[in-house]
Amino acid sequence: MFVGYWIVATAALRQSDKSQAAIHWGHWALSQSRDQTGNLSLVGPQLPVSQAHIKEKRILRHMESGWQTDGKGPSIWDTFCHEKGQVFGNQNGDVTCNSYELWEKDLECIQQLGLTHYRLSLSWPRLLPDGTTRNVNQRGVQYYNRVIDDLLACNVSPMVTLYHFDLPQAIQDLGGWKSPGIATLFDNYPKFCFQMFGDRVKLWITINEPQVCAKLGHEVGIHAPGLKEKGTAAYLVGHNMLRAHAMAWHSYNSAYRITQNGAVSLALNSDWLEPLEPGRSEDVTSAERDLIFTLGWFAWPVFVTGDYPELMRSSIETQSKIMGYSGDLRLPRFSIDDPPILGTADFFALNYYTSRKVKSGGCSDQMLSMERDLDAEEILDPSWPICGVSWLAVVPNGLRKLLKYIKDVFNNPTIYITENGFAQVGRLQIEDVERCKFYKSTILEVAKAIEEDEVNVRGYFAWSLMDNFEWADGFSVRFGLFHVDFSDPELRRTIYQSGSEYAKIIS
């Protein structure tokens, strides 16, 4: 993703690190210089590079497809996609990139880029069609064994995500993430995966973007399972996801860590959010509250106190009183019977895409809702370019600011940037110059965070290896370093210019 004169070198990958990823920063010893255009560039020693690792995407963000193949059970996204009007153009994830049958082609792409790390997601309903270990799909186990073994044979280390939105429909039928019992059901699934694959997998993500799953799937309704239970369901879902994550972490810590020597976390998404007018106290407070409701919701219990931020709880309870709500606490409290939440992450996994300015007020809801609880308005700075979809403003220095915030607020954790990318829509552009510029600018900002802000960033994962099914946007949005021609029965993969530039940097 860099053009000609830009050089990035990283320190050699240290095998002793608990977790490694993408562009991997061990001990950076980089100097800064000015190129012929006056732009700040990174220059470092030509050391072995632990390179820009790309996240695998499968059906519905996990591009293996084969939604009914070889014993796989249905997921909530299979159900959601097959309902008219839920996804752009009524598209679905039945085939997508078809990594289930074209894995060898994917591996060729990985080798073409020269990667040493690769993030992939397991499909819960492929391994356990009804969501429980009573019904194990051995063909699913064989598939993932082959993927993991092939990666390792090519000297590529896998980072494995256990849950990326595709809840087994059978579990949803029992209440899904709203049910208190789901934490135990989920815990059985990671334990199964640790047993099957943990001898070779050293980097685990339990749950990807719980905030997105809770809010878009249960408050806004534009993601599966498509619920619109405003002001209540999302908080309950987020609570149960935290409980489930904590159970899985403790299971690994007590039964598997000593023999498998891996690391476990959950991937949290957040925009960078800053006050529209830094000198206006109302905007400063609103931006702080917005960060709490977005990132602090999950990071605060895991990294700071073991409980939700007081600012979040007080904001929700204030609105409950104003609206005359007299039901159960909308933001639940953790039980003494739950495993401790605090400390259940061996690293901080961050998904970052964009930034917003924030000002106070702006909510028009006359009923309970997360928007009313937040009571803040997010605004796009008109100076920020937009890539593809309307929400995705390109703000590379927002990532640096967010990394510094995480260092300062969450006790200086080891950080892996587990998603970051640039979208393309409309006319296909194989020579994706703007995406090349994006990665160049973004990785430079990460380097500044490391060198100047002393943030402990260990790795960067670009989203994504290939164009794929982007949830409610279907195939209309393209994030890949390889283009996939979905009109071609063979689903031909073609490298973008950004992919070629990426490969040059990490070679």
Side-chain angles (χ1 to χ4, degrees):
M1 298 38 160
F2 293 78
V3 292
Y5 46 77
W6 289 77
I7 303 171
V8 170
T10 73
L13 176 64
R14 299 182 301 157
Q15 295 302 324
S16 61
D17 283 345
K18 287 197 301 184
S19 42
Q20 308 136 0
I23 291 182
H24 176 102
W25 286 276
H27 298 295
W28 270 49
L30 295 178
S31 60
Q32 296 181 341
S33 66
R34 298 277 172 182
D35 61 40
Q36 295 176 352
T37 66
N39 291 323
L40 183 66
S41 61
L42 297 179
V43 181
Q46 295 300 313
L47 297 173
V49 177
S50 161
Q51 73 300 332
H53 154 93
I54 307 305
K55 169 172 188 179
E56 176 191 13
K57 310 220 253 191
R58 304 184 164 278
I59 184 170
L60 314 169
R61 216 70 162 202
H62 320 304
M63 58 190 178
E64 73 196 27
S65 308
W67 77 286
Q68 286 183 316
T69 303
D70 283 350
K72 178 187 174 293
S75 76
I76 57 173
W77 267 95
D78 294 324
T79 302
F80 189 73
C81 288
H82 293 140
E83 297 174 0
K84 295 291 185 181
Q86 301 288 16
V87 175
F88 176 87
N90 289 318
Q91 295 166 347
N92 60 58
D94 292 0
V95 177
T96 67
C97 301
N98 198 16
S99 286
Y100 190 73
E101 295 178 340
L102 300 177
W103 163 242
E104 289 80 5
K105 298 293 184 183
D106 295 355
L107 191 60
E108 290 175 6
C109 294
I110 293 167
Q111 292 176 296
Q112 185 174 347
L113 292 177
L115 305 183
T116 63
H117 291 75
Y118 186 65
R119 184 179 173 205
L120 63 113
S121 301
L122 306 185
S123 172
W124 186 353
R126 181 174 298 287
L127 288 167
L128 308 176
D130 66 0
T132 75
T133 54
R134 292 191 299 268
N135 180 14
V136 175
N137 179 14
Q138 291 299 332
R139 284 171 292 188
V141 174
Q142 292 166 8
Y143 170 68
Y144 291 121
N145 272 326
R146 179 163 62 96
V147 169
I148 292 168
D149 289 344
D150 285 351
L151 288 170
L152 293 173
C154 296
N155 296 315
V156 178
S157 299
M159 174 186 270
V160 172
T161 298
L162 291 163
Y163 182 76
H164 202 141
F165 300 177
D166 57 339
L167 187 71
Q169 184 61 47
I171 301 297
Q172 180 63 35
D173 293 343
L174 298 176
W177 285 108
K178 291 170 56 180
S179 170
I182 195 172
T184 301
L185 285 172
F186 177 80
D187 184 37
N188 290 331
Y189 164 54
K191 286 192 291 188
F192 172 81
C193 294
F194 298 151
Q195 292 168 2
M196 293 294 105
F197 314 117
D199 58 326
R200 289 152 291 159
V201 175
K202 305 306 175 186
L203 292 168
W204 294 96
I205 299 292
T206 57
I207 297 174
N208 186 76
E209 298 184 342
Q211 190 261 1
V212 169
C213 179
K215 183 175 181 180
L216 298 191
H218 301 81
E219 169 95 359
V220 184
I222 60 173
H223 277 197
L227 303 182
K228 298 179 181 180
E229 300 176 8
K230 286 195 168 186
T232 55
Y235 297 131
L236 179 58
V237 166
H239 186 73
N240 287 330
M241 285 189 146
L242 274 171
R243 293 174 57 244
H245 158 76
M247 283 189 181
W249 186 92
H250 283 287
S251 291
Y252 188 87
N253 195 54
S254 62
Y256 302 98
R257 188 185 301 277
I258 193 169
T259 57
Q260 297 182 359
N261 195 31
V264 180
S265 188
L266 73 171
L268 304 181
N269 62 285
S270 184
D271 300 342
W272 171 244
L273 302 157
E274 62 186 31
L276 178 64
E277 297 184 23
R280 187 169 183 261
S281 61
E282 293 89 343
D283 289 1
V284 173
T285 301
S286 294
E288 178 187 0
R289 189 166 57 249
D290 204 348
L291 276 167
I292 287 293
F293 268 77
T294 303
L295 185 60
W297 181 4
F298 297 94
W300 204 271
V302 173
F303 290 93
V304 182
T305 64
D307 200 357
Y308 298 111
E310 184 54 38
L311 178 59
M312 182 178 185
R313 186 174 296 282
S314 63
S315 297
I316 293 170
E317 291 181 356
T318 295
Q319 291 301 324
S320 293
K321 291 177 182 178
I322 292 173
M323 300 302 293
Y325 176 79
S326 59
D328 294 336
L329 280 175
R330 292 195 289 135
L331 185 64
R333 294 193 181 276
F334 294 105
S335 167
I336 59 173
D337 297 325
D338 290 327
I341 306 294
L342 182 62
T344 56
D346 301 318
F347 55 93
F348 198 115
L350 173 68
N351 296 355
Y352 168 83
Y353 285 92
T354 190
S355 296
R356 290 291 187 272
K357 304 282 189 178
V358 182
K359 71 175 185 178
S360 61
C363 176
S364 59
D365 272 0
Q366 298 303 310
M367 62 182 69
L368 288 175
S369 68
M370 293 185 72
E371 184 180 358
R372 186 180 180 92
D373 295 334
L374 174 59
D375 191 29
E377 182 178 358
E378 296 181 358
I379 296 171
L380 278 170
D381 188 318
S383 69
W384 295 337
I386 303 296
C387 73
V389 287
S390 60
W391 60 268
L392 191 43
V394 179
V395 194
N397 70 344
L399 176 54
R400 177 186 177 183
K401 294 175 182 178
L402 185 56
L403 290 170
K404 179 65 162 57
Y405 175 87
I406 290 170
K407 173 196 171 185
D408 293 342
V409 174
F410 301 112
N411 300 313
N412 193 21
T414 296
I415 301 173
Y416 289 83
I417 300 161
T418 40
E419 286 186 29
N420 178 242
F422 183 101
Q424 183 185 113
V425 297
R427 182 176 61 87
L428 176 64
Q429 300 176 59
I430 294 296
E431 296 182 358
D432 53 345
V433 175
E434 293 304 314
R435 185 181 281 145
C436 294
K437 293 178 180 178
F438 163 80
Y439 280 113
K440 172 185 67 178
S441 300
T442 299
I443 294 172
L444 178 59
E445 292 297 328
V446 176
K448 290 177 182 177
I450 295 167
E451 287 292 283
E452 299 176 18
D453 305 331
E454 299 182 336
V455 181
N456 188 15
V457 180
R458 296 291 182 87
Y460 172 93
F461 290 69
W463 185 268
S464 61
L465 179 67
M466 288 179 279
D467 296 336
N468 77 125
F469 185 88
E470 289 290 341
W471 308 117
D473 290 319
F475 303 111
S476 67
V477 178
R478 301 181 294 273
F479 276 93
L481 295 183
F482 283 82
H483 171 60
V484 178
D485 184 353
F486 295 106
S487 66
D488 178 0
E490 296 184 358
L491 298 170
R492 185 174 67 256
R493 282 88 157 122
T494 303
I495 194 168
Y496 284 103
Q497 180 179 338
S498 58
S500 297
E501 294 296 335
Y502 211 111
K504 290 176 185 177
I505 298 162
I506 65 179
S507 63

